């Protein structure tokens, strides 16, 4: 509610103003009263109000003098002037000072209420402008913090921006942390990308509630959706306050989103120049680890650096046995094989990610090999969103069962012409392929041939060729050391940039991202 100070040297006028209208109904309340301008200034010292309603003629200090003094201290306060008689000079000076209205005594209730409604609209517009200014400031600060963490901002620009945005540069300790909101296939957080700046803003408020003197916390969302935290302090000693702050933020996010949240604290550094390195260590740790369960917890990249090393070795899979299970159509046995493949006996809360991702990709590709026209989008695209062992196992089962069901469905009967087209793609996918070329070989109109292929295969001829080429390219990228451009050329794409676009379209990830997911030991 908006606060009001009534100022008049006549007590009856003050009492009358208290009851002249229902202030509460107008979202306002009388905070205090004063009998002259000097008394009003004393009461406003340290306790500003939203509105001052003042008489213009008072002993010791006039209403206009009071307005000048208050405006110098608090420019956002609004004023209504009361007067027993109309005086043009007073009206003119009041307008110059920016008062809301000049009301004659006795006060007209309708005019007072109209003035109040006008002020309410002004306050609402000011609040919107302030929110917009705050949000613009925060968006700019988030952008600068992201670029600082990624080392993509010039040093001179950063120093200028940091001073403007109150980013600390003179502390003796800087430490990065990350809060990851887990949204595996079985943990969906709706519209989280629009929510992350608000989460970061609230985390900063919560984390800053109880911190030692000389310490600061800044929070911002990064491009991968993690909430990054900057801890700064004037001394190197004591990390307990960082754990407590991170724990409070983590618990609030978990309660607000209903998702699981993991916190990771990095290595402290002595100057702001080392903060990007601390960020990089935290992000690398998250990138290289897979979590065993969905409990929320906090880890330190230093003390837990060796966690999961026992499981770093490449996991061996009985792929021959798995191929037989796929061909035989034993769904329960396939599930059992997957469960055993990802079974881990460990008390660690996290494991090295690489061997489990490699095993998952091997199993999913083995199933995709059964398809005549495999679609890799459902294999590689979701992997970037997987953070838990259970989520990875769920993805593997989903992909394999979809492929398995398709493979054991009733086999399609292809016409001789379509069989020739499929066989031609298999043997000549490295060459330039088009319906026009094939129509000449089969002595059929290309439009008819395209419609026939679409009807029997369920996809266009060009899509089929691209998907087949991407399938061949995937195997070369995973099982050979050839450069990306060489792989593209070998499967029929001579333009490397076009190969990148097509691969991303059909596989869901770029060739570089694919190789990063599948790191051979």
């Amino acid at each position: 509610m908006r606060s009001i100070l009534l100022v008049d040297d006549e007590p009856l006028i003050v009492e009358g103003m208290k009851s002249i209208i229902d202030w509460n109904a107008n979202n306002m309340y009388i905070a205090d009263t004063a009998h002259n301008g000097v008394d009003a200034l004393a009461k406003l010292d340290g306790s500003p109000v939203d509105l001052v309603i003042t008489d213009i003629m008072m002993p010791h200090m006039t209403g206009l003098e009071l307005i000048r003094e208050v405006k110098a201290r608090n420019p956002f306060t609004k004023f209504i002037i009361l007067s027993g008689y109309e005086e043009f000079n007073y009206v003119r000076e009041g307008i110059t000072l920016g008062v809301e209205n000049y009301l004659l005594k006795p006060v007209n209730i309708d005019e007072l209420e109209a003035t109040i409604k006008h002020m309410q609209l002004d306050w609402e517009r000011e609040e919107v402008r302030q929110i917009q200014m705050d949000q613009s400031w925060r968006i700019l600060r988030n952008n600068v913090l992201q670029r600082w963490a990624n080392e993509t901002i010039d040093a001179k620009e950063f120093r200028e921006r940091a001073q403007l945005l109150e980013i600390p540069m003179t502390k003796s300790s800087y430490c990065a942390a990350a809060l990851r909101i887990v949204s595996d296939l079985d943990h969906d957080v709706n519209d989280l990308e629009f929510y992350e700046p608000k989460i970061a803003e609230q985390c900063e408020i919560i984390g800053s509630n109880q911190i030692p003197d000389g310490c600061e916390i800044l929070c911002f969302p990064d491009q991968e959706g993690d909430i990054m935290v900057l801890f700064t302090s004037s001394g190197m000693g004591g990390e307990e306050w960082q754990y407590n702050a991170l724990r409070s933020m983590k618990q609030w996010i978990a309660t607000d989103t209903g998702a699981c949240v993991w916190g990771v604290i990095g290595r402290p550094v002595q100057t702001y120049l080392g903060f990007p390195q601390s960020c990089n260590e935290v992000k690398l740790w998250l990138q290289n680890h897979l979590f065993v369960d969905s409990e929320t917890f906090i880890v330190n990249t230093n003390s837990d650096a060796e966690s999961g090393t026992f499981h770093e070795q490449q996991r061996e899979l009985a792929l021959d046995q798995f191929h037989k299970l796929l061909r035989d159509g034993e769904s329960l046995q396939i599930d059992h094989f997957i469960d055993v493949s990802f079974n881990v006996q460990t008390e660690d809360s996290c494991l090295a990610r690489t061997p489990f991702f490699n095993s998952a990709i091997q199993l999913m590709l083995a199933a995709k090999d059964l398809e005549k026209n495999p679609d890799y989008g459902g294999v590689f695209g979701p992997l970037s969103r997987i953070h838990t062992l259970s989520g990875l196992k769920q993805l593997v089962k989903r992909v394999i069962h979809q492929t398995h069901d398709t493979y054991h469905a009733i086999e399609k009967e292809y016409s001789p012409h379509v069989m020739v087209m499929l066989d031609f793609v298999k043997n000549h996918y490295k060459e330039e392929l088009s319906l026009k070329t094939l129509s000449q070989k089969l002595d059929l109109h290309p439009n008819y041939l395209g419609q026939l292929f679409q009807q029997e295969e369920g996809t266009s001829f060009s899509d089929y060729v691209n998907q087949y080429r991407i399938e061949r390219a995937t195997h070369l990228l995973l099982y050979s050391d050839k450069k990306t451009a060489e792989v593209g050329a070998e499967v029929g794409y001579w333009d490397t940039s076009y190969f990148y676009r097509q691969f991303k379209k059909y596989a869901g990830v770029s060739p570089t991202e694919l190789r990063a997911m599948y790191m051979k030991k």
Side-chain angles (χ1 to χ4, degrees):
M1 298 180 72
R2 298 290 177 176
S3 55
I4 305 171
L5 174 66
L6 297 177
V7 188
D8 201 301
D9 58 343
E10 299 181 37
L12 289 178
I13 296 295
V14 172
E15 292 301 317
M17 289 299 297
K18 286 182 179 179
S19 58
I20 190 171
I21 63 172
D22 187 346
W23 296 105
N24 188 67
N26 286 278
N27 199 33
M28 306 175 83
Y29 70 99
I30 308 299
D32 208 341
T33 62
H35 58 273
N36 60 50
V38 175
D39 183 30
L41 279 179
K43 292 187 175 183
L44 289 172
D45 188 21
S47 301
V49 295
D50 297 299
L51 171 64
V52 173
I53 300 178
T54 179
D55 187 14
I56 199 166
M57 297 300 296
M58 297 179 293
H60 308 300
M61 179 181 286
T62 68
L64 294 178
E65 290 171 336
L66 171 64
I67 291 171
R68 289 193 199 95
E69 287 291 332
V70 175
K71 276 191 169 290
R73 303 180 188 189
N74 188 358
F76 299 106
T77 301
K78 295 183 181 297
F79 300 88
I80 294 176
I81 291 178
L82 303 179
S83 180
Y85 55 91
E86 188 169 3
E87 174 58 55
F88 177 74
N89 288 334
Y90 290 145
V91 174
R92 182 175 59 186
E93 190 168 355
I95 292 173
T96 302
L97 290 172
V99 300
E100 297 301 314
N101 205 348
Y102 185 104
L103 302 179
L104 291 176
K105 299 177 184 177
V107 175
N108 182 288
I109 295 177
D110 292 337
E111 187 176 1
L112 176 61
E113 289 185 331
T115 302
I116 290 172
K117 289 179 181 179
H118 176 77
M119 285 190 301
Q120 297 282 15
L121 292 174
D122 284 345
W123 275 320
E124 288 177 7
R125 284 192 288 265
E126 287 171 5
E127 286 178 347
V128 170
R129 281 196 298 269
Q130 189 61 44
I131 290 171
Q132 290 172 341
M133 289 175 61
D134 290 344
Q135 290 304 314
S136 297
W137 177 87
R138 187 166 291 277
I139 290 170
L140 177 59
R141 197 193 69 168
N142 285 348
N143 178 265
V144 170
L145 289 170
Q146 288 173 4
R147 293 168 64 198
W148 180 27
N150 295 332
E151 298 182 278
T152 57
I153 187 172
D154 176 75
K156 182 173 182 282
E157 181 188 353
F158 172 71
R159 287 192 297 271
E160 293 173 351
R161 298 283 188 177
Q163 186 175 8
L164 173 67
L165 298 168
E166 300 178 349
I167 299 172
M169 292 191 298
T170 59
K171 300 290 187 178
S172 57
S173 176
Y174 292 77
C175 181
L179 290 163
R180 171 158 290 182
I181 304 171
V182 183
S183 54
D184 277 351
L185 298 178
D186 50 349
H187 295 91
D188 183 26
V189 182
N190 294 327
D191 298 326
L192 194 57
E193 65 273 19
F194 303 108
Y195 193 30
E196 286 155 5
K198 286 294 184 183
I199 293 177
E201 183 177 347
Q202 188 63 29
C203 280
E204 188 170 311
I205 295 171
I206 292 171
S208 300
N209 279 340
Q210 294 179 331
I211 60 176
D213 292 338
C215 300
E216 288 186 53
I217 293 175
L218 299 183
C219 299
F220 60 97
D222 70 3
Q223 294 176 336
E224 295 177 334
D226 293 328
I227 305 300
M228 300 302 297
V229 183
L230 165 62
F231 293 114
T232 69
S233 63
S234 300
M236 290 296 292
E239 297 178 349
E240 188 63 27
W241 71 273
Q242 297 176 358
Y243 278 96
N244 291 337
L246 201 64
R247 188 178 297 111
S248 297
M249 291 185 269
K250 176 180 65 65
Q251 289 172 348
W252 175 81
I253 296 175
T255 301
D256 192 64
T257 64
C260 297
V261 185
W262 297 316
V264 180
I265 296 180
R267 188 192 312 273
V269 293
Q270 295 184 10
T271 73
Y272 77 92
L273 297 172
F275 178 65
Q277 178 185 350
S278 186
C279 283
N280 184 59
E281 289 177 356
V282 168
K283 296 294 290 186
L284 189 62
W285 193 95
L286 284 168
Q287 177 183 326
N288 291 337
H289 287 79
L290 196 66
F291 297 91
V292 175
D293 52 39
S294 57
E295 295 296 323
T296 61
F297 53 83
I298 298 175
V299 296
N300 188 300
T301 58
N302 301 319
S303 61
D304 291 305
E306 301 301 320
S307 177
T309 53
F310 175 78
H311 303 285
E312 279 281 3
Q313 297 179 355
Q314 183 69 31
R315 301 169 62 79
E316 296 296 332
L317 298 173
L319 290 178
D320 290 341
Q321 177 188 352
F322 185 62
H323 285 142
K324 184 177 186 303
L325 292 176
L326 290 173
R327 290 192 299 269
D328 292 345
E330 301 292 340
S331 297
L332 293 178
Q333 292 183 28
I334 289 173
D335 279 344
H336 178 70
F337 183 94
I338 296 171
D339 289 335
V340 170
S341 298
F342 291 96
N343 183 38
V344 177
Q345 299 297 326
T346 179
E347 296 181 357
D348 292 334
S349 57
C350 50
L351 307 166
R353 179 188 297 258
T354 300
F356 294 95
F357 265 49
N358 287 354
S359 296
I361 290 173
Q362 284 183 329
L363 293 177
M364 289 188 287
L365 289 183
K368 285 293 180 181
D369 283 342
L370 297 176
E371 295 181 355
K372 292 184 175 66
N373 193 22
D375 178 7
Y376 292 106
V379 175
F380 301 113
L383 280 175
S384 61
R385 304 193 301 271
I386 297 296
H387 305 297
T388 65
L389 190 62
S390 61
L392 183 63
K393 186 165 65 174
Q394 180 188 4
L395 173 65
V396 171
K397 287 185 176 181
R398 180 179 300 178
V399 170
I400 288 174
H401 279 299
Q402 287 173 348
T403 303
H404 177 264
D405 293 343
T406 301
Y407 176 72
H408 287 282
I410 300 174
E411 289 291 327
K412 295 180 180 178
E413 293 292 336
Y414 293 109
S415 65
H417 292 136
V418 172
M419 286 295 294
V420 170
M421 295 173 74
L422 294 173
D423 188 61
F424 195 84
V425 172
K426 181 178 179 181
N427 294 306
H428 300 277
Y429 64 90
K430 300 179 183 180
E431 305 168 13
E432 183 179 352
L433 294 175
S434 67
L435 284 172
K436 183 177 180 181
T437 303
L438 282 171
S439 66
Q440 293 173 352
K441 293 181 178 296
L442 296 173
D443 196 23
L444 292 171
H445 195 280
N447 289 346
Y448 169 76
L449 205 56
Q451 292 173 358
L452 185 64
F453 190 91
Q454 176 82 42
Q455 181 180 347
E456 295 189 18
E457 184 56 32
T459 187
S460 68
F461 180 71
S462 61
D463 271 345
Y464 181 86
V465 171
N466 279 315
Q467 287 176 344
Y468 192 89
R469 285 171 171 168
I470 298 307
E471 176 192 356
R472 298 295 94 203
T474 298
H475 281 267
L476 290 173
L477 288 166
L478 296 180
Y479 304 116
S480 79
D481 296 325
K482 293 182 178 182
K483 295 180 179 179
T484 303
E486 294 175 337
V487 171
E490 189 160 327
V491 299
Y493 296 107
W494 297 100
D495 184 335
T496 305
S497 61
Y498 180 68
F499 170 55
Y500 262 83
R501 292 196 300 272
Q502 292 299 102
F503 196 95
K504 179 85 173 183
K505 174 182 177 181
Y506 289 97
V509 294
S510 70
T512 305
E513 290 170 335
L514 172 64
R515 273 186 161 160
M517 288 179 180
Y518 187 84
M519 295 173 284
K520 297 188 288 298
K521 297 294 181 182

